[in-house]
Amino acid sequence: MPQALAERRPDLAQRVLHVREMARWIRKRALRMVFEARQGHPGGDLSATDVLATLYFDSMRYDPGQPADPARDRFIMSKGHATGALYSTLAKAGFFPEEELTTYMQPLSRLNGHPNRVKIPGVETNTGPLGHGLPVAVGIAIAGQIDRADYRVFVITGDGELQEGSNWEAAMTAGHRKLSNLTVVVDRNRLQQGAGTEDTVGLEPLGDKWRAFGWDVVEVNGHDVEALIPLLDGSVARSRPLCIVANTIKGKGVSFMENKASWHHGVPNAEQYAQAMKELDA
Amino acid sequence: MSSPAPAKAGLYDCRDAYVATLEALGAADPRVVAVVNDSVGSSKLGGFRDKFPERLINVGIAEQAMVGVGAGLANGGKIAFVSGAACFLTGRALEQVKADCAYSQANVKLCGISSGVAYGELGPTHHSIEDVAWLRTMGDITVIVPADPWETEQAIRAAAALDGPVFVRISRMGVPALPRPADATFTIGKAEVLREGNNAAILANGTVVCRALAAAEELAQQGIAARVINMASMSPIDVEAILAAAQTGAIVTAEEHSVRGGLGSAVAEIVSQNQPCRMKILGFEGFQPTGSAEFLMERAGLTGPSIASAVRTLLGR
């Protein structure tokens, strides 16, 4: 099992630079996938990218050549529609060839709109319907607890997704069992498909909800890689599960997409795409 | 493993065979764990809990989490037996069964306890007469409906040995141990011919198999040789055995399940497109009124005499 970058202990500035470079690549690649497929969920891809890049290119231990290694850290993208970002990340991490990203949502491609573990190495469980990632992650964390294994389990959930009750069933068990090997990152971009979360069914006070379920809670700017790194790299010993409320911007990095619910599953035209790429390169 | 003693004279509660098998598997393989929704008692898993306290995971009254946690335990290398009342396990957590188990091909064993109308008077919320229909349409999950304690043990062992999702329907209604040759074997995907006969065929599973045998006995006295086939394996299903049954020209199916989507439908799908023959599907027509399990079974024609009568009607005798 190769060490995570975090374990090789380069200086923090180097780590931040590396993660940012990966995040820039993921954003551009995800947007190209959406542009070429003429469908996808760019807003949520872009809001989750910095957390994903920090996990895969700094925090997590995995060997893309042995995706079923029992000792691997696990990641579950519970907001399974964010496949632009997820597939780009998995390809960059070496789980499958980057060229395959051009098949995104093409007929018979294994890269459909929501991830399938049966076909795609690196995917731990099939998501798409919301509220599925956390219960499965809790099961993995319990298995790790029983085995006294030292792997860690990470989940990204959407914030709107927390309206699904299954998350709270699982959160209750995680708190009860003190699953210290489990980290949930809430991609708190404050927008769901059609409107703001607080205008739909409000989630606040969100941190207090997780605390009440027995979790440690940290709020952070979800695009601040320097702040994310020490939260995700396992350098702090924990006795309870950790919820990171990552305040993010839907569409982050592309000015005209930022904070617009319409880019939840909007597709850029050629002019918009060129403009977006220019901004992401800047 | 010796079979547990019958709960009532000559009648067995298949949950006893289930938990005895699970305890034996658990002793032999540390990967075996059980997941419950506060259902230790109704699943009879108190013994497993006492023997392997760390391997009994109770998620509370939370079926969606129960099934998801089962899939997660599988990801972590465990063989997870998820046990809960069949009605809640399948109905409440159907999307978890679909996405986390079947579509994800997770190595999870879903054990639907007290299936069918076992909960009788508690009413349709607690009946589970839709489960087989829901799960067999997914295709990617093995569905087994054992008929007696021996077959329950075999089904649980086969489920543990198979790397993939399995649903086993486990009744609490008393059933006799079915007569079988000493070298009988259980194979997923294979039907079991319990009685030969070429005038008609009765295809049944679960608690109804013993009743199908009683019907065949009655019919034999009237000069009608009815084949009795135990269709415990609902998915995959034994197409060959069904087509052979169709050659008799008359098939009666009988199941403790809805007449829509279960065994009868599965048989009709195959027969109608390959070898049409006369059929009668016995089971439940939608939600059931108040009554004991036995009352509801009788009312739906799921008794030896009623099954025999259905065969005679098909044969015009």
Side-chain angles (χ1 to χ4, degrees):
Chain A
M1 176 72 62
Q3 284 185 313
L5 179 63
E7 292 174 287
R8 299 200 291 272
R9 307 222 168 278
D11 69 44
L12 183 62
Q14 253 183 294
R15 290 162 68 184
V16 172
L17 205 65
H18 178 62
V19 170
R20 283 199 182 133
E21 215 34 61
M22 293 296 106
R24 180 199 304 273
W25 188 91
I26 293 164
R27 282 198 164 88
K28 288 173 62 183
R29 199 64 193 82
L31 214 54
R32 184 180 143 197
M33 286 163 68
V34 173
F35 177 67
E36 289 174 353
R38 308 308 299 155
Q39 54 185 328
H41 292 83
D45 283 337
L46 295 173
S47 68
T49 293
D50 296 302
V51 174
L52 260 178
T54 306
L55 283 169
Y56 275 88
F57 302 106
D58 187 79
S59 317
M60 282 171 50
R61 280 190 298 183
Y62 57 88
D63 177 354
Q66 294 187 61
D69 186 329
R72 72 193 182 278
D73 288 339
R74 271 79 162 173
F75 170 76
I76 295 174
M77 179 62 93
S78 191
K79 41 178 271 184
H81 52 275
T83 39
L86 176 66
Y87 293 159
S88 298
T89 302
L90 290 176
K92 193 69 179 167
F95 286 97
F96 55 85
E98 285 175 26
E99 306 81 69
E100 199 176 332
L101 295 171
T102 58
T103 70
Y104 184 46
M105 296 210 231
Q106 298 305 307
L108 304 182
S109 167
R110 61 178 171 170
L111 303 182
N112 78 11
H114 299 95
N116 181 353
R117 74 173 282 273
V118 180
K119 296 190 173 169
I120 309 169
V123 174
E124 300 289 352
T125 186
N126 299 0
T127 52
L130 298 173
H132 283 249
L134 185 54
V136 175
V138 167
I140 303 172
I142 293 172
Q145 193 184 50
I146 292 172
D147 292 341
R148 279 94 177 143
D150 67 353
Y151 61 76
R152 296 186 296 150
V153 188
F154 299 92
V155 187
I156 291 179
T157 70
D159 51 357
E161 178 180 3
L162 296 179
Q163 289 156 359
E164 293 280 8
S166 51
N167 289 306
W168 301 103
E169 292 184 5
M172 214 181 307
T173 279
H176 177 78
R177 302 181 76 94
K178 300 189 168 33
L179 298 176
S180 57
N181 51 357
L182 175 64
T183 298
V184 165
V185 181
V186 179
D187 183 6
R188 184 73 173 113
N189 60 36
R190 307 186 81 89
L191 289 172
Q192 49 197 100
Q193 169 159 272
T197 56
E198 303 313 288
D199 298 326
T200 307
V201 170
L203 299 169
E204 295 299 336
L206 185 56
D208 288 345
K209 286 189 168 76
W210 289 91
R211 273 182 213 100
F213 279 68
W215 291 57
D216 288 337
V217 178
V218 180
E219 270 203 56
V220 68
N221 174 348
H223 303 303
D224 182 350
V225 171
E226 204 170 332
L228 287 170
I229 281 177
L231 289 174
L232 294 171
D233 69 3
S235 53
V236 177
R238 301 198 171 272
S239 57
R240 310 202 299 173
L242 173 65
C243 172
I244 298 172
V245 178
N247 290 310
T248 57
I249 294 169
K250 200 157 187 167
K252 170 71 178 177
V254 178
S255 58
F256 58 89
M257 291 186 181
E258 288 189 356
N259 283 321
K260 299 258 186 351
S262 57
W263 285 101
H264 175 81
H265 43 44
V267 176
N269 61 30
E271 194 186 331
Q272 288 169 323
Y273 177 64
Q275 170 70 20
M277 284 298 164
K278 207 169 121 194
E279 290 185 21
L280 289 172
D281 268 330
Chain B
M1 197 189 79
S2 61
S3 286
K8 274 193 267 180
L11 295 180
Y12 295 84
D13 177 341
C14 288
R15 292 178 300 173
D16 293 322
Y18 163 54
V19 297
T21 308
L22 196 59
E23 285 173 30
L25 289 170
D29 188 340
R31 293 175 302 162
V32 172
V33 299
V35 190
V36 296
N37 55 336
D38 196 27
S39 50
V40 172
S42 56
S43 292
K44 292 200 164 196
L45 283 167
F48 186 93
R49 178 191 55 198
D50 295 344
K51 287 193 175 77
F52 318 107
E54 205 180 30
R55 288 196 261 153
L56 188 287
I57 294 121
N58 189 347
V59 300
I61 306 163
E63 290 74 26
Q64 299 180 71
M66 172 173 69
V67 174
V69 163
L73 284 158
N75 179 299
K78 304 299 177 192
I79 302 173
F81 281 79
V82 175
S83 278
C87 54
F88 309 133
L89 170 62
T90 59
R92 184 59 163 265
L94 189 59
E95 191 179 82
Q96 278 74 19
V97 173
K98 174 186 169 186
D100 308 355
C101 300
Y103 183 41
S104 289
Q105 285 297 289
N107 191 26
V108 179
K109 319 305 165 188
L110 304 169
C111 298
I113 308 294
S114 302
S115 49
V117 295
Y119 279 124
E121 299 88 340
L122 299 189
T125 54
H126 284 57
H127 296 163
S128 193
I129 59 173
E130 306 88 1
D131 49 12
V132 172
W134 290 338
L135 270 57
R136 83 178 180 89
T137 58
M138 294 177 192
D140 288 332
I141 179 167
T142 298
V143 177
I144 310 174
V145 186
D148 73 348
W150 177 86
E151 195 169 49
T152 301
E153 175 181 348
Q154 303 310 313
I156 294 300
R157 289 185 179 278
L162 182 84
D163 183 11
V166 181
F167 174 68
V168 186
R169 213 173 184 240
I170 297 166
S171 181
R172 73 199 288 157
M173 285 177 65
V175 288
L178 297 175
R180 285 196 181 83
D183 61 350
T185 55
F186 173 84
T187 307
I188 291 171
K190 284 284 167 208
E192 179 186 34
V193 177
L194 287 170
R195 184 177 177 124
E196 296 291 351
N198 289 324
N199 298 139
I202 306 169
L203 278 59
N205 59 23
T207 56
V208 190
V209 174
C210 59
R211 296 156 190 251
L213 283 169
E217 189 62 39
E218 178 186 323
L219 291 165
Q221 286 163 19
Q222 296 153 358
I224 299 169
R227 187 178 311 171
V228 176
I229 309 178
N230 174 8
M231 303 295 297
S233 184
M234 280 300 300
S235 182
I237 201 160
D238 190 339
V239 175
E240 206 179 319
I242 292 169
L243 292 179
Q247 284 177 6
T248 66
I251 290 178
V252 171
T253 64
E255 60 198 302
E256 189 193 350
H257 186 274
S258 168
V259 291
R260 295 185 280 270
L263 172 63
S265 301
V267 171
E269 285 160 18
I270 291 161
V271 167
S272 62
Q273 299 180 78
N274 296 283
Q275 180 146 1
C277 76
R278 286 163 293 163
M279 273 191 72
K280 175 67 184 175
I281 297 173
L282 295 176
F284 296 105
E285 296 272 359
F287 298 134
Q288 294 299 292
T290 308
S292 69
E294 191 51 47
F295 170 83
L296 296 174
M297 297 281 278
E298 277 177 29
R299 193 167 172 274
L302 296 171
T303 63
S306 294
I307 295 168
S309 167
V311 171
R312 284 192 300 271
T313 303
L314 272 194
L315 295 178
R317 292 169 67 168

